[in-house]
């Protein structure tokens, strides 16, 4: 069965975005600090069409993650970023650029039907209006022998957890306290999710946590 | 200056105690799961008057922590556990036993004055009614050339963070989702706390996080 995985950066106090997200600041105030460990890595830069960058265990982990998935599932707000009511906005999703960094089919969970958008570089956005299980099923079929990467936001991650559909969770804990914003784990029925810690490489910039979800 | 340190176990979703703490379950529902990684370690068992147990990097880390502090600061609820309104209860604090596992002076933050209690094995409970800074100052004087260990609960940790008094934070992230309970980091003014990640040993049972607080 095509595995469903999470790979997300979180603050020490549990936030995956800062408060007051906006067009200028789609990750919320100080939200970019969660991702500082990744911006300089060669493998991340390559996926985003840039050259150069650092190699090492962190870059290898990101390269492994990028190579692992054949489809992505994300929420509507992650797709449209800070742009307004996106169902009326033909440019919604524009912040991902003409060549988004996914390079695979991306299934966007939404209440508003919309035609698929084929972008450059292999990314096609598909819009799914009938719930998380359908989005995951379609992504699994599209992923072939690779994994489905659940990209976020937190509400989508919580839906996938509640549906018992995750196989593996990777959380990168950045050395940051945000104080407020969007929590990754909120209202999760913890008794239903049993985790098994998996080995990860040590990093001087961030703490990688990886778990197998025991089914 | 005598350093002030934290060493606490937390769930992946940020809780240091489960919901509904009681006399039978002072750590709340499923709260004991946060500490499962430590119960079998030789160094932890020794501090609690028991023999045997496992050695290795986790046991070494616990031994290093136990040896590091010369005084402890804790909150009233951590002192009295699940026992009722403790100011009326001569047996409050009894759940720590006649020979509590601290073996140093312990400063309990409370609104109710009470005479110090000298226990077996080097632990003396002192009761501090004039605030966190006084508790920390007294603990620093008592600790000599060792550290002050802030034991919890979460409200006391948050007061020490807000007062800008921590020098080092160690958080052990257990592979558990509790879903509800007491969060370690709640209403923290994150912009005031700058962290620097420190190296820690890898463990198959738990993820150790250690930070220097940059002043």
């Amino acid at each position: 069965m095509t595995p469903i995985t999470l790979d997300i950066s979180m603050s020490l106090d549990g936030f995956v975005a800062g408060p007051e997200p906006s067009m200028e600041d789609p990750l919320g105030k100080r939200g970019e600090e969660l991702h500082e460990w990744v911006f300089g890595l060669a493998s991340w830069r390559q996926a985003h069409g840039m050259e150069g960058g650092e190699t090492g265990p962190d870059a290898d982990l990101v390269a492994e993650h990028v190579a692992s998935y054949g489809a992505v599932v994300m929420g509507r707000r992650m797709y449209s970023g800070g742009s307004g009511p996106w169902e009326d906005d033909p440019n919604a999703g524009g912040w991902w650029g003409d060549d988004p960094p996914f390079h695979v089919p991306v299934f966007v969970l939404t209440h508003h039907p919309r035609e698929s958008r084929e972008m450059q570089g292999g990314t096609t956005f598909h819009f799914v209006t009938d719930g998380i299980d359908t989005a995951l099923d379609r992504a699994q079929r599209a992923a072939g022998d690779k994994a489905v990467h659940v990209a976020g936001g937190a509400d989508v991650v919580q839906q996938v957890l509640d549906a018992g559909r995750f196989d593996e969770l990777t959380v990168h804990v950045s050395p940051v306290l945000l104080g407020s914003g969007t929590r990754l784990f909120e209202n999760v029925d913890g008794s239903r999710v049993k985790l098994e810690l998996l080995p990860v490489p040590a990093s001087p910039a961030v703490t990688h946590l990886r778990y197998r979800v025991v089914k």
Side-chain angles (χ1 to χ4, degrees), chain A residues 7 9 14 20 35 86 146 184 192 203:
Chain A
D7 190 289
S9 293
E20 302 168 39
H35 303 275
W86 78 289
K146 293 191 167 186
L184 179 57
R192 293 180 52 197
S203 161

Side-chain angles (χ1 to χ4, degrees), chain A residues 133-196:
Chain A
D133 276 313
T134 301
L136 292 170
D137 291 345
R138 288 183 61 186
Q140 282 184 313
R141 283 195 296 274
D145 57 358
K146 293 191 167 186
V148 170
H149 165 50
V150 177
D155 54 338
V156 172
V157 174
Q158 289 158 23
Q159 286 181 53
V160 181
L161 268 178
D162 281 344
R165 297 286 300 264
F166 271 121
D167 295 283
E168 208 175 285
L169 310 178
T170 299
V171 180
H172 312 281
V173 179
S174 292
V176 170
L177 289 171
L178 286 189
S180 59
T182 307
R183 281 196 199 274
L184 179 57
F185 298 109
E186 192 84 86
N187 305 317
V188 170
D189 181 356
S191 64
R192 293 180 52 197
V193 185
K194 190 166 156 50
L195 303 175
E196 186 184 291

Side-chain angles (χ1 to χ4, degrees), chain A residues 12-195:
Chain A
L12 174 60
D13 49 351
F15 297 100
V16 290
E20 302 168 39
S22 66
M23 200 65 171
E24 293 72 37
D25 233 352
L27 299 171
K29 282 188 179 171
R30 297 184 60 218
E32 287 226 341
E33 293 180 34
L34 302 177
H35 303 275
E36 265 170 18
W37 68 276
V38 87
F39 295 137
L41 302 179
S43 51
W44 187 86
R45 295 177 60 83
Q46 191 186 343
H48 288 74
M50 294 182 279
E51 291 179 6
E54 297 153 33
T55 56
D58 285 349
D60 291 348
L61 197 73
V62 169
E64 185 198 315
H65 169 63
V66 168
S68 72
Y69 61 80
V72 171
V73 170
M74 69 171 61
R76 189 270 295 172
R77 277 187 295 273
M78 187 167 186
Y79 169 70
S80 63
S83 62
W86 78 289
E87 56 273 22
D88 304 322
D89 181 357
N91 296 315
W95 76 312
W96 290 111
D98 296 331
D99 182 3
F102 306 105
H103 314 298
V104 295
V106 176
F107 295 85
V108 180
L109 204 66
T110 170
H111 294 294
H112 297 275
R114 193 180 176 109
E115 276 185 27
S116 296
R117 292 178 68 202
E118 192 176 338
M119 315 297 289
Q120 295 169 25
T123 301
T124 301
F125 290 109
H126 301 286
F127 301 90
V128 182
T129 55
D130 41 0
I132 189 67
D133 276 313
T134 301
L136 292 170
D137 291 345
R138 288 183 61 186
Q140 282 184 313
R141 283 195 296 274
D145 57 358
K146 293 191 167 186
V148 170
H149 165 50
V150 177
D155 54 338
V156 172
V157 174
Q158 289 158 23
Q159 286 181 53
V160 181
L161 268 178
D162 281 344
R165 297 286 300 264
F166 271 121
D167 295 283
E168 208 175 285
L169 310 178
T170 299
V171 180
H172 312 281
V173 179
S174 292
V176 170
L177 289 171
L178 286 189
S180 59
T182 307
R183 281 196 199 274
L184 179 57
F185 298 109
E186 192 84 86
N187 305 317
V188 170
D189 181 356
S191 64
R192 293 180 52 197
V193 185
K194 190 166 156 50
L195 303 175

